[in-house]
mmCIF file of all heavy atoms in Angstrom:
data_model
loop_
_atom_site.group_PDB
_atom_site.id
_atom_site.type_symbol
_atom_site.label_atom_id
_atom_site.label_comp_id
_atom_site.label_asym_id
_atom_site.label_seq_id
_atom_site.Cartn_x
_atom_site.Cartn_y
_atom_site.Cartn_z
ATOM 1 N N GLY A 279 110.207 103.122 92.467
ATOM 2 C CA GLY A 279 108.772 103.415 92.667
ATOM 3 C C GLY A 279 108.494 104.759 92.537
ATOM 4 O O GLY A 279 109.260 105.716 92.335
ATOM 5 N N SER A 280 107.030 105.019 92.246
ATOM 6 C CA SER A 280 106.745 106.421 92.197
ATOM 7 C C SER A 280 106.957 107.221 93.500
ATOM 8 O O SER A 280 107.029 108.386 93.524
ATOM 9 C CB SER A 280 105.372 106.539 91.671
ATOM 10 O OG SER A 280 104.437 105.786 92.605
ATOM 11 N N THR A 281 107.096 106.471 94.533
ATOM 12 C CA THR A 281 107.316 107.122 95.792
ATOM 13 C C THR A 281 108.684 107.769 95.821
ATOM 14 O O THR A 281 108.754 109.014 96.275
ATOM 15 C CB THR A 281 107.415 105.966 96.978
ATOM 16 O OG1 THR A 281 106.074 105.391 97.046
ATOM 17 C CG2 THR A 281 107.717 106.576 98.378
ATOM 18 N N TYR A 305 96.917 111.248 99.621
ATOM 19 C CA TYR A 305 97.800 109.982 100.006
ATOM 20 C C TYR A 305 98.944 110.458 100.905
ATOM 21 O O TYR A 305 99.694 111.438 100.740
ATOM 22 C CB TYR A 305 98.393 109.662 98.664
ATOM 23 C CG TYR A 305 99.455 108.605 98.791
ATOM 24 C CD1 TYR A 305 99.081 107.361 99.432
ATOM 25 C CD2 TYR A 305 100.694 108.616 98.274
ATOM 26 C CE1 TYR A 305 100.003 106.300 99.632
ATOM 27 C CE2 TYR A 305 101.694 107.590 98.418
ATOM 28 C CZ TYR A 305 101.251 106.451 99.045
ATOM 29 O OH TYR A 305 102.176 105.490 99.174
ATOM 30 N N TYR A 308 102.504 112.501 100.885
ATOM 31 C CA TYR A 308 102.711 113.841 100.407
ATOM 32 C C TYR A 308 103.088 114.880 101.538
ATOM 33 O O TYR A 308 103.845 115.766 101.343
ATOM 34 C CB TYR A 308 101.572 114.436 99.575
ATOM 35 C CG TYR A 308 101.029 113.671 98.371
ATOM 36 C CD1 TYR A 308 99.758 113.604 97.969
ATOM 37 C CD2 TYR A 308 101.893 112.776 97.662
ATOM 38 C CE1 TYR A 308 99.228 112.903 96.921
ATOM 39 C CE2 TYR A 308 101.532 112.036 96.593
ATOM 40 C CZ TYR A 308 100.166 112.079 96.174
ATOM 41 O OH TYR A 308 99.755 111.310 95.225
ATOM 42 N N ASN A 355 96.788 114.199 92.454
ATOM 43 C CA ASN A 355 96.747 112.780 92.216
ATOM 44 C C ASN A 355 95.391 112.362 91.642
ATOM 45 O O ASN A 355 94.314 112.538 92.223
ATOM 46 C CB ASN A 355 96.936 112.079 93.657
ATOM 47 C CG ASN A 355 96.618 110.655 93.682
ATOM 48 O OD1 ASN A 355 96.120 110.040 94.523
ATOM 49 N ND2 ASN A 355 96.966 109.907 92.610
ATOM 50 N N ASN A 359 93.684 108.613 95.255
ATOM 51 C CA ASN A 359 93.791 107.836 96.515
ATOM 52 C C ASN A 359 93.628 108.903 97.646
ATOM 53 O O ASN A 359 94.482 109.849 97.657
ATOM 54 C CB ASN A 359 95.019 107.023 96.666
ATOM 55 C CG ASN A 359 95.159 106.325 97.903
ATOM 56 O OD1 ASN A 359 94.330 106.293 98.785
ATOM 57 N ND2 ASN A 359 96.405 105.907 98.139
ATOM 58 N N ASP A 387 100.597 112.784 90.154
ATOM 59 C CA ASP A 387 100.739 111.264 90.521
ATOM 60 C C ASP A 387 99.594 110.546 89.785
ATOM 61 O O ASP A 387 98.467 110.702 90.166
ATOM 62 C CB ASP A 387 100.645 111.208 92.086
ATOM 63 C CG ASP A 387 100.753 109.699 92.498
ATOM 64 O OD1 ASP A 387 100.602 108.875 91.663
ATOM 65 O OD2 ASP A 387 101.136 109.494 93.610
ATOM 66 N N ILE A 389 99.509 107.140 89.137
ATOM 67 C CA ILE A 389 99.701 105.761 89.147
ATOM 68 C C ILE A 389 98.418 104.848 88.941
ATOM 69 O O ILE A 389 98.556 103.721 88.682
ATOM 70 C CB ILE A 389 100.628 105.263 90.237
ATOM 71 C CG1 ILE A 389 99.879 105.297 91.556
ATOM 72 C CG2 ILE A 389 101.842 105.965 90.413
ATOM 73 C CD1 ILE A 389 100.504 104.389 92.723
ATOM 74 N N TYR A 390 97.300 105.517 89.133
ATOM 75 C CA TYR A 390 95.995 104.662 88.963
ATOM 76 C C TYR A 390 95.494 105.003 87.479
ATOM 77 O O TYR A 390 94.143 104.734 87.303
ATOM 78 C CB TYR A 390 95.030 105.004 89.983
ATOM 79 C CG TYR A 390 95.564 104.494 91.328
ATOM 80 C CD1 TYR A 390 96.043 105.478 92.313
ATOM 81 C CD2 TYR A 390 95.541 103.150 91.772
ATOM 82 C CE1 TYR A 390 96.574 105.140 93.581
ATOM 83 C CE2 TYR A 390 96.106 102.790 93.031
ATOM 84 C CZ TYR A 390 96.637 103.796 93.802
ATOM 85 O OH TYR A 390 97.059 103.383 95.034
ATOM 86 N N SER A 420 103.804 99.588 89.922
ATOM 87 C CA SER A 420 103.056 98.999 91.140
ATOM 88 C C SER A 420 101.721 98.491 90.874
ATOM 89 O O SER A 420 101.251 97.427 91.188
ATOM 90 C CB SER A 420 103.229 99.859 92.195
ATOM 91 O OG SER A 420 104.441 99.975 92.800
ATOM 92 N N LYS A 421 100.895 99.588 90.487
ATOM 93 C CA LYS A 421 99.441 99.352 90.397
ATOM 94 C C LYS A 421 99.036 98.798 89.126
ATOM 95 O O LYS A 421 98.131 97.880 89.131
ATOM 96 C CB LYS A 421 98.719 100.732 90.680
ATOM 97 C CG LYS A 421 99.394 101.432 91.930
ATOM 98 C CD LYS A 421 98.986 100.767 93.272
ATOM 99 C CE LYS A 421 99.731 101.430 94.392
ATOM 100 N NZ LYS A 421 99.300 101.072 95.704
ATOM 101 N N ARG A 429 109.199 97.901 93.010
ATOM 102 C CA ARG A 429 109.818 99.311 93.261
ATOM 103 C C ARG A 429 110.278 99.877 91.907
ATOM 104 O O ARG A 429 111.605 100.207 91.862
ATOM 105 C CB ARG A 429 110.914 99.262 94.300
ATOM 106 C CG ARG A 429 110.534 98.493 95.584
ATOM 107 C CD ARG A 429 109.151 98.777 96.128
ATOM 108 N NE ARG A 429 108.941 100.382 96.456
ATOM 109 C CZ ARG A 429 107.941 101.002 96.002
ATOM 110 N NH1 ARG A 429 106.950 100.438 95.388
ATOM 111 N NH2 ARG A 429 107.862 102.247 96.294
ATOM 112 N N TYR A 506 90.185 102.024 95.855
ATOM 113 C CA TYR A 506 89.789 102.127 97.298
ATOM 114 C C TYR A 506 88.346 102.719 97.396
ATOM 115 O O TYR A 506 87.890 103.330 96.404
ATOM 116 C CB TYR A 506 90.775 103.298 97.856
ATOM 117 C CG TYR A 506 92.105 102.942 97.738
ATOM 118 C CD1 TYR A 506 92.875 103.554 96.629
ATOM 119 C CD2 TYR A 506 92.900 102.014 98.676
ATOM 120 C CE1 TYR A 506 94.266 103.284 96.504
ATOM 121 C CE2 TYR A 506 94.236 101.830 98.395
ATOM 122 C CZ TYR A 506 94.812 102.389 97.362
ATOM 123 O OH TYR A 506 96.210 102.113 97.213
HETATM 124 C C1 LIG B 181 98.615 107.835 94.992
HETATM 125 C C2 LIG B 181 99.755 106.963 95.243
HETATM 126 N N1 LIG B 181 100.984 107.142 94.895
HETATM 127 C C3 LIG B 181 101.949 106.412 95.106
HETATM 128 C C4 LIG B 181 101.944 105.236 95.662
HETATM 129 C C5 LIG B 181 103.094 104.374 95.810
HETATM 130 O O1 LIG B 181 103.559 103.982 94.600
HETATM 131 P P1 LIG B 181 104.873 103.166 94.257
HETATM 132 O O2 LIG B 181 104.678 101.777 94.632
HETATM 133 O O3 LIG B 181 105.080 103.272 92.812
HETATM 134 O O4 LIG B 181 105.974 103.782 95.052
HETATM 135 C C6 LIG B 181 100.667 104.785 96.110
HETATM 136 C C7 LIG B 181 100.512 103.526 96.783
HETATM 137 O O5 LIG B 181 99.448 103.205 97.372
HETATM 138 C C8 LIG B 181 99.560 105.820 95.955
HETATM 139 O O6 LIG B 181 98.364 105.232 96.309
#
Side-chain angles (χ1 to χ4, degrees):
S280 59
T281 298
Y305 173 54
Y308 304 154
N355 171 218
N359 171 12
D387 178 340
I389 69 161
Y390 298 103
S420 286
K421 312 292 174 168
R429 313 312 303 132
Y506 307 97

